Amino acid sequence: MRFYIASEEDILSGKITDIYFIRTKKIIAAKHLEDVRVRMEIHTGSLPEKYSWAVYAGLEEALKLLEGKPLNVYSLPEGTLIKDNFPVMVIEGRYYDICEYETPLLGILRHYTSVTSRAARFKKLAMDKVILYFGLRGAHPAIAPMLDRAAYIGGLDGVSGAFNEETIGVKPSGTMPHALILVFGDEVEAWKAYDEVLDKSVPRIALIDTFNDERFAAVKAVEALGDKLYGIRLDTPRSRRGNMKAIIKEILWTLKLMGKEGKVKIVVSGGVGEKAIAELRDVADAFGVGTAITYPPSVDMSMDIVEIERNGEWIPYSKRGKDPGAKKVFRCGTLDYEVVRFGTQPERCHEDLMIKWLDNGRLVRELPSPQEIRDYVLKQLREAPDIEPR
Ligand code: PCP
């Protein structure tokens, strides 16, 4: 038995790639073409349906992959809102030195960007309401830290991985599983034990859908924990749902009668998608989202040779269907960009976003923290136009 996962060493060595790249290198070496220098561009294709933007993510891991290799790397900052057919990274060097990294590089950037973009869409739809990511149980544990980082920088308010303080410096968020209540055999006893045992810094959010009707359980939770009750979580099974909005409104009315209006937060989880956020954001305070973020629509990206060096000069050069020439991106404002060829000046926008990160494999600027990337994403989300849920 084993875990079918690649080690960090295997990834960095270039072993985790497609065989055709290994064969390509062999042919290049046999025919003495190792010194052919190129500029390769990574860019998005068309975005998924109803996406008018995506959030570029995965840069830190991409740079980790390329660090120490004889390459120059230019990229947009991690967390930048991007559009379809949009350049995100340019790598300059001998094709021979880049070749086998295409697979892991695109894998990192596409997976990250897909998860972060989806998380950012949830946050954009919820905006002042809280979105927690509970989706680790949907993916292989080997990438749990990556998923939580990707979701967090997308602007989410909390991520559930117990390890997150160590990896991204974020205290994990969570409530209680149904199993806790089932072990006690009584929800009131379980809620009281939760309150008795856990540190005061953990918000008291009672799960109220295990055995009985949510409204009656909400009343019991208020009676059991009083002012200590921070919130209630409804994870109502699909087979019992009917009309979630009506259930929540009934609970809100009841809480009001108990003098608890606005004092008990309503958390909704279980199968929450973009449409549920749009529908319930005026009655709920927070949402727990898992699968919809763990399995987002794919934000496609590809990596192509766009320039080749001939006699010391860079010549635009690409396969058909791709715009030749490496590109720079300048920004005038959120989602307002001008894309020009390397070495030419923009006419309208002046903030240069295609920044050099690696100079001959050496990191030449400080990487932002996950908190800084998240703030950068949130700022752009506030400025971006409203989106339609998909
Ligand atoms: C939550 C809910 C969903 C999980 C989290 C994520 O689990 O039941 O299954 O939601 P999503 O993937 O549907 O978006 P808990 O209620 O904490 O889990 P359990 O039922 O195991 O107690």
Side-chain angles (χ1 to χ4, degrees):
M1 284 189 290
R2 55 166 292 192
F3 288 118
Y4 289 87
I5 56 175
S7 70
E8 202 169 294
E9 259 169 31
D10 285 346
I11 297 169
L12 292 172
S13 73
K15 183 177 156 188
I16 306 302
T17 189
D18 294 297
I19 187 64
Y20 76 165
F21 289 127
I22 303 293
R23 291 174 180 156
T24 296
K25 278 195 89 160
K26 191 172 173 184
I27 299 163
I28 288 174
K31 297 296 176 183
H32 311 296
L33 291 169
E34 294 97 323
D35 290 333
V36 172
R37 285 171 55 78
V38 296
R39 280 178 174 159
M40 294 196 77
E41 183 180 87
I42 299 181
H43 45 257
T44 55
S46 48
L47 298 179
E49 196 203 346
K50 299 210 169 140
Y51 275 36
S52 45
W53 45 261
V55 181
Y56 174 55
L59 178 63
E60 180 176 337
E61 291 198 40
L63 293 174
K64 163 90 182 160
L65 179 70
L66 300 177
E67 190 184 18
K69 307 200 162 66
L71 303 169
N72 296 328
V73 177
Y74 304 81
S75 167
L76 308 182
E78 189 161 13
T80 302
L81 261 58
I82 54 175
K83 301 185 181 185
D84 57 344
N85 302 309
F86 204 75
V88 297
M89 180 181 278
V90 173
I91 304 163
E92 198 175 75
R94 301 192 317 168
Y95 179 72
Y96 189 74
D97 294 322
I98 305 171
C99 184
E100 71 269 40
Y101 293 102
E102 179 167 335
T103 304
L105 191 53
L106 283 176
I108 290 169
L109 295 177
R110 286 184 59 190
H111 199 178
Y112 254 104
T113 299
S114 300
V115 173
T116 302
S117 300
R118 180 70 148 167
R121 286 178 62 84
F122 273 89
K123 188 60 191 165
K124 176 69 182 169
L125 287 163
M127 230 46 218
D128 59 327
K129 299 297 172 83
V130 167
I131 306 270
L132 306 173
Y133 176 53
F134 293 166
L136 296 185
R137 64 190 61 189
H140 196 290
I143 59 161
M146 171 265 165
L147 286 171
D148 267 359
R149 179 178 181 275
Y152 179 72
I153 64 175
L156 298 197
D157 301 279
V159 283
S160 68
F163 46 79
N164 276 313
E165 273 196 282
E166 204 182 303
T167 52
I168 54 172
V170 173
K171 274 195 192 310
S173 309
T175 62
M176 62 182 68
H178 294 92
L180 179 72
I181 290 164
L182 290 166
V183 163
F184 275 86
D186 179 278
E187 52 195 2
V188 171
E189 270 184 47
W191 299 331
K192 283 190 164 166
Y194 190 88
D195 177 45
E196 188 189 311
V197 174
L198 296 189
D199 188 85
K200 294 277 168 282
S201 63
V202 177
R204 275 43 183 163
I205 300 174
L207 180 60
I208 59 158
D209 62 74
T210 307
F211 297 123
N212 298 305
D213 180 84
E214 292 82 350
R215 169 158 69 93
F216 295 97
V219 171
K220 277 207 278 179
V222 171
E223 287 167 355
L225 299 191
D227 290 345
K228 288 187 280 182
L229 185 70
Y230 180 79
I232 49 180
R233 176 162 76 101
L234 290 87
D235 190 70
T236 310
R238 195 170 294 278
S239 59
R240 302 287 194 286
R241 273 202 184 185
N243 182 335
M244 248 345 237
K245 195 165 189 169
I247 295 174
I248 297 170
K249 280 183 161 176
E250 192 181 311
I251 291 173
L252 289 172
W253 175 255
T254 309
L255 290 172
K256 191 173 165 177
L257 297 185
M258 297 176 84
K260 287 285 177 185
E261 189 178 19
K263 291 182 184 146
V264 177
K265 306 279 182 217
I266 308 290
V267 184
V268 179
S269 65
V272 172
E274 291 184 9
K275 287 186 177 142
I277 304 285
E279 198 186 312
L280 301 176
R281 65 189 163 199
D282 56 334
V283 290
D285 299 286
F287 297 89
V289 183
T291 309
I293 291 175
T294 305
Y295 290 91
S298 165
V299 177
D300 293 346
M301 288 184 186
S302 49
M303 178 162 161
D304 294 280
I305 293 176
V306 289
E307 293 193 9
I308 191 157
E309 200 183 43
R310 298 273 189 238
N311 307 317
E313 206 183 319
W314 287 106
I315 313 289
Y317 181 72
S318 68
K319 71 177 188 185
R320 61 184 188 157
K322 298 288 174 175
D323 292 338
K327 290 139 211 108
K328 283 221 141 206
V329 176
F330 290 85
R331 177 166 57 191
C332 292
T334 292
L335 289 170
D336 184 7
Y337 301 113
E338 193 177 344
V339 177
V340 299
R341 196 188 152 204
F342 257 52
T344 59
Q345 288 308 309
E347 287 173 8
R348 206 170 55 81
C349 302
H350 298 290
E351 189 191 356
D352 184 359
L353 292 183
M354 193 58 86
I355 305 162
K356 192 175 202 179
W357 295 87
L358 295 184
D359 181 69
N360 198 24
R362 191 174 56 86
L363 190 67
V364 291
R365 56 170 53 234
E366 208 178 313
L367 291 171
S369 67
Q371 290 69 19
E372 286 167 330
I373 301 170
R374 178 177 178 273
D375 288 347
Y376 174 50
V377 171
L378 286 173
K379 176 180 181 292
Q380 295 168 88
L381 291 185
R382 281 190 288 270
E383 290 166 359
D386 286 346
I387 61 170
E388 202 190 325
R390 89 192 285 280

